[in-house]
Amino acid sequence: MSTMLKGRSLLTWLDYTVPEISALLDLAKQVKAERKSGAVFQRFAGKTLAMLFEKRSTRTRCAFETSFGEEGGYPVFLSTADIQLGSKESLEDTARVLGRMFSAIQFRGFKQETVETLAKYSGIPVYNGLTDEFHPTQALADVMTLEENCGLAQGKSLCYVGDGRNNVARSLMVISAKLGLHFTVICPPELKPDSVIWERCAPLAAASGAKIAVTDDIAAVAGADALYTDVWASMGEEDKQAERRRLLFPYQVNQALMDKTGRKDSIFLHCLPAVKGEEVTAEVIDGPQSRAWDQAENRKHTIKAIMLATLL
Ligand code: CP
Ligand code: NVA
């Protein structure tokens, strides 16, 4: 494992094969078991991680910072208030300098192009901790949580209900298409995933057997193993909040929608942070079918696994 992925960046799951994603999931399970056993390791001793944030974060920052630091690594948090990131100094030059001082870079921000440029010019592994286009580390934790509850992702069914254009929906579509997980986006026509991501995923789904669908009909949740939602307006889209409320209110995940799966064992997933009363009711996210808190914990185990695999 360590030699297979050593030196690799994670920008989107489009760049990873199915055996590579499966190996990362196995490693994340191992890391979780180690943590539960109380075992202590220092596998990142002598290594450094630059953590670049243009947008806010609770889970992603804490998962990277704690999992790297508790294994003896030295994480450095750098917000846009602290660092030149394309202003005053070119992004390429910042990447070159970070590449001389750090073992790896985590980037959260707006443009996917930024994380790609950092990877190209730094020469060290770069992890995409969320851009407007993708949120790959989230999707790995999501699959891990689904598998903990439902068994192997292949052949299971996941319905994403909400803004089908956003980073979380797009990353779920990619990882589902790769792993053979049936994936349905349920959203109003105005918020359908773009045709580019659809065209990238279609051949992957054909190869894995995943059925990928987009519909505006909430009845499509019938039989689903898991329902997933995310905020109606993502970071950077605050001005669209009123329009999204209007478009997405019929797509709120409430108990009536959970019941439409027709299965008592369907689980509810949310990447968090959640706006209770908008995309999901408190009854659902705080209720017995919710696995959102396990999912948040799994961010840490999956992120540690990605760093172990690419750095050691
Ligand atoms: N799910 C997620 O990425 O959470 P944060 O925005 O708090 O990092
Ligand atoms: N789609 C959300 C995800 C937050 C983790 C956003 O980009 O704000």
Side-chain angles (χ1 to χ4, degrees):
M1 166 54 128
S2 54
T3 45
M4 184 167 83
L5 292 177
K6 189 173 168 66
R8 289 272 295 276
S9 290
L10 172 56
L11 308 180
T12 150
W13 290 117
L14 287 166
D15 306 330
Y16 277 67
T17 65
V18 176
E20 287 168 348
I21 300 171
S22 301
L24 286 170
L25 284 166
D26 287 344
L27 186 56
K29 281 178 212 156
Q30 179 194 316
V31 162
K32 186 168 185 172
E34 285 166 1
R35 177 132 184 100
K36 302 287 168 198
S37 77
V40 175
F41 300 96
Q42 293 286 287
R43 290 172 285 198
F44 297 131
K47 298 197 185 295
T48 47
L49 175 69
M51 306 204 330
L52 275 46
F53 283 82
E54 289 180 338
K55 293 178 177 171
R56 285 171 186 268
S57 170
T58 299
R59 282 143 287 271
T60 308
R61 176 185 174 174
C62 295
F64 272 102
E65 194 160 339
T66 62
S67 63
F68 197 70
E70 74 193 12
E71 294 252 6
Y74 190 83
V76 180
F77 177 81
L78 297 160
S79 79
T80 37
D82 308 309
I83 189 175
Q84 308 289 1
L85 211 60
S87 64
K88 187 106 184 244
E89 181 176 60
S90 75
L91 190 59
E92 290 83 348
D93 289 357
T94 301
R96 288 184 177 109
V97 171
L98 295 177
R100 299 291 180 105
M101 297 196 188
F102 288 91
S103 313
I105 298 170
Q106 185 287 155
F107 172 80
R108 164 171 288 203
F110 294 91
K111 292 186 188 154
Q112 181 70 14
E113 200 189 326
T114 307
V115 81
E116 286 168 5
T117 303
L118 287 169
K120 186 169 172 194
Y121 289 93
S122 67
I124 55 177
V126 174
Y127 311 118
N128 178 357
L130 181 149
T131 62
D132 291 344
E133 289 185 42
F134 292 110
H135 196 4
T137 63
Q138 178 70 53
L140 194 67
D142 302 341
V143 172
M144 181 180 185
T145 313
L146 180 96
E147 291 199 335
E148 285 174 343
N149 289 277
C150 309
L152 196 66
Q154 186 173 31
K156 300 298 184 308
S157 56
L158 172 64
C159 286
Y160 173 95
V161 190
D163 174 15
R165 302 161 36 273
N166 81 12
N167 40 20
V168 168
R170 292 163 51 91
S171 291
L172 285 171
M173 187 182 283
V174 174
I175 207 163
S176 299
K178 290 249 172 183
L179 296 179
L181 170 63
H182 306 314
F183 182 62
T184 305
V185 180
I186 305 176
C187 62
E190 295 89 335
L191 297 174
K192 279 189 342 194
D194 62 89
S195 57
V196 176
I197 193 73
W198 178 259
E199 281 156 20
R200 296 291 303 270
C201 288
L204 303 173
S208 70
K211 290 182 208 132
I212 308 287
V214 179
T215 176
D216 61 5
D217 184 1
I218 56 169
V221 301
D225 290 286
L227 299 196
Y228 194 124
T229 192
D230 184 12
V231 287
W232 286 345
S234 288
M235 289 181 276
E237 296 187 330
E238 289 74 11
D239 58 325
K240 297 195 167 64
Q241 190 74 46
E243 183 199 356
R244 294 290 168 75
R245 277 199 193 106
R246 181 177 62 76
L247 288 172
L248 284 166
F249 199 73
Y251 296 85
Q252 182 188 64
V253 181
N254 47 38
Q255 197 55 49
L257 188 67
M258 289 300 298
D259 293 343
K260 280 193 200 308
T261 66
R263 295 176 51 177
K264 289 210 171 359
D265 62 345
S266 297
I267 60 166
F268 170 75
L269 297 171
H270 193 309
C271 55
L272 304 175
V275 185
K276 296 180 189 179
E278 288 206 350
E279 75 274 6
V280 61
T281 57
E283 183 186 15
V284 169
I285 196 166
D286 297 327
Q289 289 170 282
S290 174
R291 298 293 179 273
W293 317 110
D294 292 338
Q295 193 182 354
E297 177 190 327
N298 287 340
R299 297 296 309 288
K300 177 163 174 167
H301 306 306
T302 44
I303 280 172
K304 187 186 276 190
I306 291 162
M307 291 196 290
L308 285 170
T310 54
L311 284 177
L312 299 193

